[in-house]
Amino acid sequence: MSVLVLVEHSQGVFKKKSLEAVQYAAHVAKELGTSVTAVAVGNVDNAAMQGLGAYGANKVLHTTESRLENFNSRAYTKVMLAAAQKESAKVIVGLHDTVGKAVSPRLAARLKAGMVAGAVGYPDLSKGFVVKKNVFSGKAFAFVNVTSDVKVITLMPNTFQVVKGEGSATVENLDIAFDDKDFSIQVKEVSKASGSVPLSEAELVVSGGRGLKGPENWHVLEGLAKELGAALACSRPVADSHWRPHHEHVGQTGGTIRPNLYIAVGISGAIQHLAGVNGSKTIVVINKDAEAPFFSAANYGVLGDALEVIPKLTEAVKRFKANH
Ligand SMILES: Cc1cc2nc3c(=O)[nH]c(=O)nc-3n(C[C@H](O)[C@H](O)[C@H](O)COP(=O)(O)OP(=O)(O)OC[C@H]3O[C@@H](n4cnc5c(N)ncnc54)[C@H](O)[C@@H]3O)c2cc1C
């Protein structure tokens, strides 16, 4: 019996959210008195896999195949199913992201497992196997008791701080006999979003809305984001108007993020926008309308014209950095 966790990497480097998932799995495994097996797919070297031990993995099962270089939900499910059976896994952890949302429900169906999607807390074993999750676009929480023998959880990224510890994981090959049916749908090309910090993993995010008036003013936000080392995001109308690329759009129909700091500039705070950002630890709203609904969701608010406030804020960040 073990706790299984699917880990994702980008060109051989494990993503921060996957380290968080391993850490989460390690916590669950400790509570259950068992070990953690991570499952890595594709081209990644041994040292990187052994390094998952520092986040709580005891073992890594590795499977590689040229057709697995691009994500394929059917083939990944087959890998996870084989790993779950090999390890007699009782709890399987994935991320509440594109990969986890595609693989975990398929896996749960195959294993007749109960599933919690979008967990934001550890299972409470004193009451069964009760997991806290977001509902109603993050406006409320539900506490779900999973009573099936095997349990599948997808963890909301950025829920827990990642802390590196000690240790090294053993690595084993997981040989799978794939057939063409497993690859009946194939990803032909992947265009990577540019930008130094991936939005889904960013701890600091600077986000702009229609209040910025047009794409020609975005350099102001870019300047602040650069000084802070933050990722850029935007509201949906901004992406729909092609002021910014769609991968920056956050909200109900865009990405869901949970950074430590979310700075919302010229965004009204519609419920559909809040759905994607209200898990942020600290929200700062900059808006020229005192009645903007976003202020009621903010930890800090600045009432003023974004095009005057942001350059001053950027200068203040520069001064702060120069003196510290
Ligand atoms: C089914 C559905 C799904 C949706 N999904 C999403 C989603 O995923 N994400 C999303 O963002 N929206 C989504 N929307 C749209 C959402 O309802 C809002 O229309 C949208 O979020 C508004 O974007 P905004 O705040 O940028 O623009 P606006 O509502 O136009 O607000 C602009 C804000 O900027 C302020 N402002 C203006 N000028 C300045 C200035 N110079 N300085 C400072 N502040 C200024 C204004 O006071 C105002 O508060 C969805 C809507 C529907 C119906």
Side-chain angles (χ1 to χ4, degrees):
M1 175 180 137
S2 75
V3 175
L4 205 64
V5 52
L6 174 61
V7 285
E8 299 168 37
H9 62 89
S10 175
Q11 289 165 349
V13 178
F14 287 108
K15 298 181 179 178
K16 191 188 104 198
K17 58 185 176 179
S18 282
L19 304 179
E20 186 185 353
V22 172
Q23 204 175 268
Y24 182 88
H27 181 101
V28 178
K30 194 168 170 210
E31 294 274 298
L32 293 172
T34 184
S35 59
V36 175
T37 301
V39 182
V41 174
N43 221 346
V44 55
D45 68 28
N46 260 21
M49 290 189 280
Q50 286 163 351
L52 292 176
Y55 302 92
N58 302 91
K59 181 167 38 167
V60 182
L61 292 177
H62 181 218
T63 191
T64 188
E65 224 264 14
S66 58
R67 288 174 294 179
L68 286 172
E69 284 317 312
N70 285 328
F71 172 59
N72 180 309
S73 56
R74 195 178 277 189
Y76 271 47
T77 305
K78 189 166 184 171
V79 173
M80 286 303 285
L81 195 57
Q85 282 157 353
K86 180 174 163 41
E87 298 293 296
S88 307
K90 290 291 173 207
V91 180
I92 302 167
V93 178
L95 283 158
H96 201 64
D97 65 359
T98 314
V99 173
K101 283 191 219 171
V103 173
S104 302
R106 286 168 188 258
L107 192 60
R110 304 270 205 289
L111 293 168
K112 304 209 178 327
M115 177 173 162
V116 184
V120 291
Y122 293 118
D124 180 352
L125 303 185
S126 69
K127 297 179 182 142
F129 194 95
V130 178
V131 187
K132 184 179 175 187
K133 63 165 280 179
N134 283 335
V135 286
F136 301 124
S137 299
K139 287 196 85 69
F141 296 117
F143 292 83
V144 184
N145 191 15
V146 191
T147 55
S148 52
D149 183 34
V150 180
K151 298 154 178 82
V152 174
I153 300 173
T154 57
L155 171 69
M156 210 59 135
N158 274 348
T159 297
F160 298 101
Q161 206 188 341
V162 180
V163 183
K164 191 174 179 186
E166 304 266 309
S168 175
T170 57
V171 179
E172 274 179 32
N173 274 337
L174 180 66
D175 290 324
I176 311 245
F178 291 106
D179 54 45
D180 286 348
K181 239 180 30 211
D182 299 320
F183 296 95
S184 54
I185 297 169
Q186 283 184 28
V187 176
K188 287 285 181 201
E189 193 188 320
V190 176
S191 310
K192 290 248 183 249
S194 58
S196 49
V197 191
L199 181 55
S200 61
E201 302 198 2
E203 294 189 355
L204 309 176
V205 174
V206 175
S207 186
R210 228 164 11 192
L212 265 291
K213 310 282 187 258
E216 66 281 5
N217 290 325
W218 235 263
H219 66 95
V220 181
L221 286 195
E222 282 165 351
L224 177 61
K226 186 166 166 244
E227 284 307 322
L228 288 171
L232 284 165
C234 67
S235 67
R236 175 170 153 176
V238 164
D240 285 348
S241 310
H242 305 292
W243 295 1
R244 297 298 300 174
H246 261 292
H247 66 80
E248 288 184 7
H249 152 205
V250 288
Q252 186 183 316
T253 45
T256 301
I257 55 171
R258 299 167 67 82
N260 289 337
L261 175 66
Y262 184 71
I263 304 180
V265 187
I267 303 176
S268 57
I271 186 165
Q272 296 89 355
H273 184 84
L274 287 174
V277 302
N278 57 9
S280 308
K281 314 278 184 305
T282 302
I283 296 178
V284 176
V285 167
I286 300 168
N287 199 300
K288 70 172 190 186
D289 175 9
E291 301 297 316
F294 220 150
F295 279 125
S296 50
N299 300 91
Y300 301 94
V302 180
L303 187 61
D305 187 321
L307 298 177
E308 289 171 16
V309 174
I310 296 297
K312 286 183 187 157
L313 189 55
T314 309
E315 278 311 309
V317 173
K318 269 188 199 160
R319 273 200 308 277
F320 180 85
K321 280 167 63 182
N323 294 325
H324 288 83

